[in-house]
């Protein structure tokens, strides 16, 4: 909940109540809340800012590249066929292979992901005129920088681990913050009445924390499946019980993840459930194009259907558009049309995960090879998909605008906490030795209930468990044995 809170008096900092010799839980929770904030504040601040940037990536990217991602919409105009827009891309960049197309709505340009040597580049086409409006590398988009920072801090697996560690401690921070809020309310009210310095800041910090704490818990827990360590850990447990986040073949490698991440025109990871859909193939040995007069190209001597035919076939299954479509990879590849949340192209599935659907279309016959959608997800996969949709502010269907408002409010609340917390600490540390940390310790050895809670959290959040063990050992074996360190960290 609240990163740092200094709303208690010095008398509350003793380890034990002098009359009962019982653990001072307030001091203990406050101290761990304080030290947890040192880990959590910078991480939560970064996640809040980059998360907001990515949530509004369509607007942010369009603003930073004016005239490229959005176009003027002529009166009574209709978007021209995708095959005609495709021809514009081939004409402008004849040496490039097209990996995918993301059809869109309104004033948004159609996006063709192309392969330029080893680099993926997005070609934007005015859907009303067929004019190429721009050509951008994935790294040119601010949203891609935001999602990379949000996921790994630009530090690869190490950064992923740092974020997971911060997210784990954020749960602890929320729990201890709620305890401090309710246990310290009398002191806060007294300080407000006395107009003590910083009392208003403490009040803002406390109340924003108690409200935003709910959102922090949801955002952290719903984001954990994306992390490398926890996601793998939980997925393996699910798979060992004949279930998984992704339905059949849990942990299997024959899925669309690699194809999606290669062809989606961004640096964002593939979406959870559809990314784990099985790979299907076209039948290159059957009699093709029976009665199909719209075959548009030749692959290995065999005529293939057009992108328009592929989209029409997908629409015939009931999958709602506009689609993100991956082009066939090789003679046995299919046109793979996605109605899903992650394309950010105005598809209804963006705000209703139950509408997600993938349709595989034979590149020669134009027939449906297979379909995969929400109904095929495992229960765990559905829960994760719904959680991620809410995490990104993309849920609640027609009420999506409210989901976005709530998500923005929680992110802004996190930013407020990350700013007011250090202000409170800075005021508190004046005249105090060392870091000015609250003086108290977690009475692990005198409370079996607390031990059970910490062990349970350590099992559920392995990185938190390991870090807590390291902190406790350092405190016991190093800090408390060296006077200078003991004074600096306020240990008792």
């Amino acid at each position: 909940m609240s990163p740092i809170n200094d709303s208690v008096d010095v008398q509350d900092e003793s380890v034990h109540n002098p009359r009962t010799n019982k653990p001072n839980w307030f001091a203990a929770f406050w101290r761990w809340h304080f030290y947890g904030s040192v880990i959590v504040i910078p991480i939560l601040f970064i996640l809040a800012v980059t998360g907001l940037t990515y949530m509004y990536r369509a607007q942010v990217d369009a603003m930073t590249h004016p005239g490229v991602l959005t176009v003027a919409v002529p009166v009574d105009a209709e978007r021209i066929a995708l095959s005609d827009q495709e021809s514009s891309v081939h004409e402008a960049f004849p040496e490039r292979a097209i990996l995918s197309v993301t059809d869109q709505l309104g004033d948004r340009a159609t996006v063709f992901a192309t392969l330029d040597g080893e680099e993926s580049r997005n070609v934007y086409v005015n859907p009303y005129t067929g004019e190429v409006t721009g050509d951008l590398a994935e790294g040119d988009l601010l949203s891609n920088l935001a999602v990379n920072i949000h996921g790994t801090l630009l530090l690869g697996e190490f950064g992923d681990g740092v974020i997971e560690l911060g997210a784990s401690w954020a749960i602890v921070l929320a729990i201890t913050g709620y305890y401090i809020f309710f246990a310290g309310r009398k002191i806060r009210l007294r300080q407000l009445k006395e107009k003590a310095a910083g009392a208003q800041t403490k009040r803002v910090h406390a109340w924003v924390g108690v409200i935003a704490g709910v959102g922090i818990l949801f955002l952290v827990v719903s984001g954990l499946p994306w992390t490398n360590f926890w996601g793998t850990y939980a997925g393996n447990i699910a798979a060992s019980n004949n279930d998984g986040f992704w339905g059949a073949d849990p942990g299997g490698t024959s899925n669309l993840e690699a194809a999606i991440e290669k062809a989606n025109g961004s640096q964002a990871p593939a979406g959870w459930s559809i990314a784990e859909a099985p790979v299907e193939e076209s039948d290159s040995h059957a009699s093709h194009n029976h009665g199909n007069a719209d075959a548009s190209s030749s692959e290995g001597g065999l005529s293939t259907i057009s992108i328009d035919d592929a989209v029409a076939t997908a629409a015939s299954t009931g999958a709602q558009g506009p689609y993100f479509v991956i082009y066939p990879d090789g003679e046995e590849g299919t046109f793979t049309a996605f109605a899903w949340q992650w394309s950010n192209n105005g598809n209804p599935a963006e705000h209703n995960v139950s509408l997600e659907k993938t349709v595989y279309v034979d590149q020669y016959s134009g027939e449906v090879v297979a379909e995969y959608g929400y109904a095929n997800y495992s229960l765990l996969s559905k829960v994760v998909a719904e959680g991620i949709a809410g995490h990104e502010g993309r849920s609640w269907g027609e009420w999506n605008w409210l989901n976005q408002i709530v998500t923005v409010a929680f992110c802004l609340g996190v930013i407020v906490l990350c700013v007011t917390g250090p202000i409170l600490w800075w005021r508190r540390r004046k005249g105090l030795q060392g870091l000015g940390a609250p003086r108290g310790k977690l009475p692990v050895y005198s409370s079996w209930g607390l031990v059970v809670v910490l062990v349970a959290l350590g099992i559920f959040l392995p990185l938190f468990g390991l870090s807590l063990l390291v902190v406790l050992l350092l405190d016991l074996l190093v800090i408390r044995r060296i006077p200078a360190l003991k004074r600096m960290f306020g240990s008792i």
Side-chain angles (χ1 to χ4, degrees):
M1 182 188 72
S2 46
I4 300 178
N5 192 313
D6 64 341
S7 58
V8 299
D9 293 337
V10 175
Q11 65 185 16
D12 296 304
E13 297 184 15
S14 59
V15 182
H16 296 87
N17 186 306
R19 285 175 291 185
T20 64
N21 200 37
K22 292 182 179 180
N24 186 330
W25 291 100
F26 193 103
F29 273 61
W30 183 23
R31 180 174 176 82
W32 281 91
H33 190 75
F34 173 88
Y35 279 115
S37 69
V38 175
I39 300 172
V40 171
I41 281 180
I43 295 174
L44 282 189
F45 184 85
I46 290 171
L47 292 181
V49 173
T50 56
L52 283 173
T53 303
Y54 189 66
M55 190 170 85
Y56 289 102
R57 57 191 179 276
Q59 294 83 356
V60 170
D61 289 337
M63 181 177 63
T64 52
H65 297 282
V68 177
L69 281 71
T70 57
V71 300
V73 181
V75 178
D76 298 327
E78 294 184 0
R79 298 170 82 95
I80 63 178
L82 286 175
S83 57
D84 292 334
Q85 299 180 56
E86 177 189 276
S87 296
S88 297
V89 176
H90 284 308
E91 183 177 348
F93 305 99
E95 75 286 356
R96 297 188 194 176
I98 294 178
L99 302 175
S100 72
V101 59
T102 302
D103 196 12
Q104 310 208 68
L105 297 173
D107 66 347
R108 298 174 64 181
T110 306
V111 186
F112 287 86
T114 66
L115 191 61
D116 183 16
E118 297 296 323
E119 181 185 24
S120 175
R121 296 187 66 88
N122 293 333
V123 178
Y124 300 86
V125 179
N126 186 320
Y128 303 103
T129 66
E131 174 191 3
V132 173
T133 61
D135 166 44
L136 299 174
E138 293 177 358
D140 294 333
L141 299 173
L142 185 59
S143 62
N144 281 328
L145 176 61
V147 76
N148 283 332
I149 295 175
H150 195 81
T152 68
L153 302 176
L154 304 180
L155 296 174
E157 290 188 6
F158 174 78
D160 183 282
V162 171
I163 288 177
E164 183 174 345
L165 180 64
S168 300
W169 275 91
I171 295 175
V172 177
L173 218 63
I175 295 171
T176 56
Y178 278 117
Y179 183 92
I180 294 169
F181 176 84
F182 291 107
R185 63 189 184 281
K186 290 183 179 179
I187 295 173
R188 288 196 306 274
L189 289 174
R190 189 187 72 220
Q191 291 176 339
L192 280 170
K193 185 177 181 180
E194 296 173 353
K195 297 182 179 180
Q200 287 293 343
T201 304
K202 295 174 188 177
R203 184 183 188 184
V204 170
H205 186 82
W207 279 103
V208 171
V210 80
I211 297 171
V214 177
I216 291 174
L217 287 172
F218 170 75
L219 292 173
V220 166
V221 173
S222 62
L224 279 175
W226 285 110
T227 59
N228 186 44
F229 189 83
W230 192 95
T232 302
Y233 170 81
N236 287 339
I237 291 177
S240 67
N241 289 283
N242 298 317
D243 197 357
F245 288 124
W246 314 284
D249 188 26
T253 58
S254 55
N255 56 58
L256 290 176
E257 181 176 6
I260 293 170
E261 294 183 354
K262 173 184 176 182
N264 66 4
S266 80
Q267 294 173 349
W272 270 95
S273 302
I274 293 181
E276 294 295 331
V279 173
E280 301 290 347
E281 297 180 347
S282 295
D283 188 354
S284 60
H285 302 291
S287 175
H288 302 294
N289 299 312
H290 39 82
N292 186 351
D294 295 325
S296 64
S297 63
S298 177
E299 181 70 40
L302 299 172
S303 296
T304 61
I305 64 172
S306 69
I307 183 65
D308 300 330
D309 295 326
V311 166
T313 299
S316 72
T317 69
Q320 298 187 50
Y323 307 111
F324 159 59
V325 185
I326 296 179
Y327 280 63
D329 185 9
E331 291 186 7
E332 295 185 346
T334 63
F335 282 98
T336 310
F338 297 85
W340 67 336
Q341 177 192 20
W342 308 97
S343 295
N344 194 40
N345 65 340
N347 189 285
E350 283 186 11
H351 304 148
N352 186 347
V353 175
S354 67
L355 298 177
E356 288 189 346
K357 193 173 186 178
T358 302
V359 181
Y360 304 87
V361 180
D362 190 297
Q363 64 172 302
Y364 307 108
S365 69
E367 296 177 351
V368 175
V369 175
E371 302 175 37
Y372 181 82
Y374 187 81
N376 303 109
Y377 300 174
S378 71
L379 177 60
L380 277 174
S381 181
K382 289 177 180 178
V383 171
V384 171
E386 295 285 0
I388 291 296
H391 183 103
E392 280 207 335
R394 293 175 172 274
S395 193
W396 302 1
E398 295 180 357
W399 293 87
N400 174 251
W401 60 271
L402 183 58
N403 185 195
Q404 290 191 353
I405 290 175
V406 170
T407 302
V408 170
F410 280 139
C411 288
L412 293 178
V414 168
I415 293 172
V416 169
L417 294 174
C418 291
V419 172
T420 56
I423 291 174
L424 294 175
W425 166 75
W426 187 256
R427 285 175 174 168
R428 166 188 161 73
R429 66 178 291 277
K430 293 180 179 179
L432 297 178
Q433 290 184 333
L435 297 176
R439 290 175 59 80
K441 65 180 179 180
L442 206 59
V444 176
Y445 304 108
S446 59
S447 174
W448 282 105
L450 180 60
V451 171
V452 170
V453 171
L454 290 177
V455 170
L457 275 174
I459 293 173
F460 178 69
L461 303 167
L463 285 187
F464 163 74
L466 291 172
S467 66
L468 179 61
L469 184 61
V470 169
V471 169
L472 289 174
L473 289 175
L474 283 174
D475 184 58
L476 180 65
L477 301 178
V478 180
I479 294 175
R480 295 182 186 278
R481 296 174 182 268
I482 301 176
L485 292 178
K486 188 174 182 179
R487 288 192 298 271
M488 175 179 292
F489 288 95
S491 297
I492 51 179

